[in-house]
Amino acid sequence: MMDIAVDQGFLRQRLPSKDVSTTRALDRYDPTYDPLLASTPGCGQDYSPTYWIATAGEPPADDGPIDSDREVDVAIIGSGFTGLSAAIALARDHGVRATVLEANRVSWGCSVRNGGQAQCASGRLTRSQWIARWGLDTALALHAECLDGMEYFKRLIADIDCDVQPGGHLYVAHRAARMPMLEREAKVLREVFDYDAQILDADTLRRHYIDDHEAAGAMHEPEGLGVHPAKLAFGYLKKARALGATVHPASPVQGWVTKDGWHHLQTPGGVVRARAVAVATGGYTSQTLHPRLRNRLMPILSNSVVTRQLTPEEIEANGLRTHQVITDTRVLRHYYRLTPDGRLQIGSRSAINGRGAPDKRYERMLLDGMVRKFPGLRDVSIDYSWWGWVDVSHDMMPRIVQPDPHVAIYYALGYGGNGVMYAAQAGRRLAQWIAGAGGSLRLPIFQGQLPFPNVAGVITSEWFAPFRRLGQRALYRWYHLKDEVL
């Protein structure tokens, strides 16, 4: 690793180091950041201009940047939902006070850019696909893990004011051709998993839930919550610090060397020597962070917009009759809901790379999708527009693992856009691994490593990874055909 020359006096002057919020960033927010190209997400960058950050209030106090060399038992890289929930579980359940390192502002990445949809899911695969991949017994155990995770999530956030919207999840068929798939999946959920998923025809959906003009019907799941992501992240921050964890923004890991059982993490303000390191960086995992993580994820961009506040008459006229979280059946899916203050939030896929992310055509594509669903919102102004990276694994399932039993390195990554709920459970499982209690975690998501890219059914070596975005462009074209034409 290269040595990094840093003016530490300047760093401490700009960002105070004890029990204060990081209120002044070293760097402006970079809208073109790309985890496949940049060595770190930055240092002290301001937040993306999301609706969530604009309405969450002042961030709580943190512990300021690392400003000297130090030794710790556990370092957690990443202060989003996973990293903070791991710090909470370590302190509360195992008596370990972690040191959390964050490159920019606290929970700067995925945790404040998502749609706030807490679904009873882990990764991108359906229950039927679990059965096909691992067999019935493992699929049932994975389902039980998700249900346990949802109950844990509810307990963890019970005292956090994060605008919870209960009621379940609507999985909307955006074309009539998708209804048979939903009907089959609902039958499997009811009869195999004893999970009360119900099919709604188009008329019932429109009269009682939402007048999505594309919808041919929907599957309703009983579990699902809407939350305010930034308020949730800030609540996790308060919990973690109250339990004795320290959280250090503007402290990117710029070098990582393991020697004699100690991990030497180079930050701009000093070296953190840790006995164990957990990685919880989501879609913002740089290629150079650690060799075990290189090319293990396919980061993809997702756009999101939030309208101005709608009047009660506009809400009624557009049939926005529920606050439940909603996704549609596109491969390049839309996720949307009515916020507590009467705005429509909707998101979907974005550019291929960070350089293209600010291009307005991706916002226009998303707005076109919104208008197809709700034509009456055609002339409604947009108050917030942003994008962010999603950590998609190459087999569409997360891993919460210790990849080498002889080395105290752990990671929880690869949620594929379903991390709002499961990140809490993943942090809890990550804490089990770190505390030496991970031996009982037998499910596939707790074993092995994140795989390399899969090409024509074969898991390839990392040499293929640099060409993934060429394949991604081709896949997006194919997915568009599947979603809109075939």
Side-chain angles (χ1 to χ4, degrees):
M1 299 289 183
M2 295 179 60
D3 291 329
I4 307 295
V6 177
D7 183 345
Q8 295 183 21
F10 172 77
L11 184 68
R12 288 194 294 272
Q13 180 180 358
R14 291 287 296 277
L15 293 168
S17 61
K18 295 293 182 183
D19 199 37
V20 289
S21 294
T22 306
T23 56
R24 186 175 182 186
L26 284 173
D27 299 326
R28 294 173 58 189
Y29 165 64
D30 178 9
T32 66
Y33 165 75
D34 191 323
L36 290 188
L37 300 177
S39 59
T40 71
C43 181
Q45 282 190 28
D46 205 353
Y47 289 111
S48 171
T50 70
Y51 164 71
W52 313 119
I53 286 297
T55 57
E58 187 67 23
D62 54 51
D63 294 280
I66 294 292
D67 59 2
S68 63
D69 294 348
R70 62 192 67 189
E71 290 186 1
V72 302
D73 288 328
V74 177
I76 298 173
I77 305 174
S79 70
F81 293 157
T82 302
L84 293 176
S85 65
I88 291 166
L90 275 169
R92 184 198 58 220
D93 301 337
H94 305 286
V96 177
R97 297 182 178 182
T99 297
V100 182
L101 305 177
E102 168 61 51
N104 296 302
R105 306 289 297 270
V106 174
S107 298
W108 175 86
C110 311
S111 297
V112 295
R113 307 190 200 200
N114 60 78
Q117 296 198 3
Q119 298 177 26
C120 194
S122 172
R124 299 285 294 232
L125 301 184
T126 66
R127 269 49 169 187
S128 295
Q129 289 171 317
W130 290 354
I131 295 172
R133 180 174 292 187
W134 293 296
L136 179 58
D137 289 345
T138 297
L140 288 169
L142 280 167
H143 180 70
E145 169 70 8
C146 283
L147 290 176
D148 183 67
M150 179 62 83
E151 292 307 310
Y152 177 71
F153 176 70
K154 291 175 185 176
R155 294 195 303 272
L156 188 62
I157 72 172
D159 60 350
I160 297 175
D161 182 10
C162 57
D163 300 346
V164 174
Q165 295 174 300
H169 167 236
L170 284 167
Y171 194 16
V172 170
H174 75 285
R175 299 171 62 198
R178 297 301 168 91
M179 281 301 293
M181 179 274 291
L182 288 184
E183 290 163 355
R184 289 192 300 270
E185 194 65 25
K187 187 173 189 287
V188 168
L189 286 168
R190 289 193 307 273
E191 297 181 1
V192 178
F193 294 92
D194 193 25
Y195 184 62
D196 189 24
Q198 296 295 326
I199 291 295
L200 308 175
D201 61 34
D203 183 60
T204 301
L205 179 68
R206 291 194 170 101
R207 282 191 293 109
H208 297 290
Y209 294 92
I210 192 162
D211 189 12
D212 181 334
H213 282 224
E214 290 185 318
M219 180 177 77
H220 181 263
E221 293 185 65
E223 293 288 358
L225 301 171
V227 296
H228 189 298
K231 290 182 180 180
L232 176 59
F234 293 166
Y236 283 168
L237 172 60
K238 290 178 182 178
K239 278 181 180 283
R241 295 188 71 241
L243 288 165
T246 59
V247 182
H248 301 276
S251 301
V253 174
Q254 299 171 319
W256 182 343
V257 176
T258 301
K259 184 178 180 182
D260 298 327
W262 286 88
H263 304 281
H264 301 250
L265 307 178
Q266 176 71 57
T267 76
V271 175
V272 177
R273 296 178 69 240
R275 295 184 183 275
V277 178
V279 179
T281 43
Y284 295 79
T285 306
S286 69
Q287 288 284 78
T288 59
L289 180 60
H290 193 275
R292 288 193 177 276
L293 296 171
R294 183 173 175 81
N295 298 319
R296 297 281 182 173
L297 291 170
M298 184 62 208
I300 65 169
L301 279 166
S302 182
N303 264 29
S304 194
V305 298
V306 175
T307 67
R308 64 160 170 78
Q309 283 186 291
L310 305 176
T311 66
E313 293 76 19
E314 288 172 323
I315 291 172
E316 175 61 28
N318 287 279
L320 302 172
R321 300 183 178 92
T322 183
H323 284 276
Q324 293 180 43
V325 296
I326 307 166
T327 53
D328 70 19
T329 49
R330 288 177 167 87
V331 179
L332 303 173
R333 66 188 180 187
H334 290 86
Y335 51 94
Y336 45 111
R337 65 181 168 119
L338 188 66
T339 64
D341 63 348
R343 302 168 185 266
L344 184 74
Q345 178 272 325
I346 185 169
S348 189
R349 67 103 165 177
S350 183
I352 298 290
N353 54 45
R355 185 179 63 256
D359 191 324
K360 281 290 186 180
R361 66 175 165 150
Y362 298 106
E363 181 183 293
R364 290 195 296 270
M365 286 169 55
L366 179 54
L367 294 177
D368 287 345
M370 180 184 77
V371 171
R372 285 196 303 272
K373 293 178 178 298
F374 308 106
L377 298 182
R378 180 179 301 276
D379 297 321
V380 169
S381 61
I382 300 300
D383 279 358
Y384 300 92
S385 179
W386 70 89
W387 49 90
W389 292 95
V390 180
D391 56 329
V392 178
S393 69
H394 295 295
D395 68 351
M396 301 296 173
M397 290 296 286
R399 296 297 189 283
I400 304 93
V401 297
Q402 181 183 12
D404 184 338
H406 305 293
V407 182
I409 296 174
Y410 313 84
Y411 62 73
L413 297 165
Y415 307 135
N418 278 323
V420 174
M421 178 282 285
Y422 195 72
Q425 180 83 337
R428 181 190 185 194
R429 299 308 191 201
L430 196 59
Q432 285 181 243
W433 276 115
I434 296 166
S440 62
L441 300 174
R442 300 294 188 184
L443 292 172
I445 60 175
F446 305 129
Q447 303 295 318
Q449 300 188 59
L450 287 165
F452 285 123
N454 184 310
V455 181
V458 178
I459 300 296
T460 64
S461 60
E462 65 178 298
W463 69 265
F464 185 82
F467 302 98
R468 285 175 293 175
R469 283 189 168 157
L470 294 176
Q472 186 183 358
R473 290 183 189 279
L475 275 175
Y476 274 17
R477 293 189 184 99
W478 168 239
Y479 291 157
H480 178 76
L481 283 173
K482 288 183 67 175
D483 287 341
E484 312 300 343
V485 179
L486 300 180

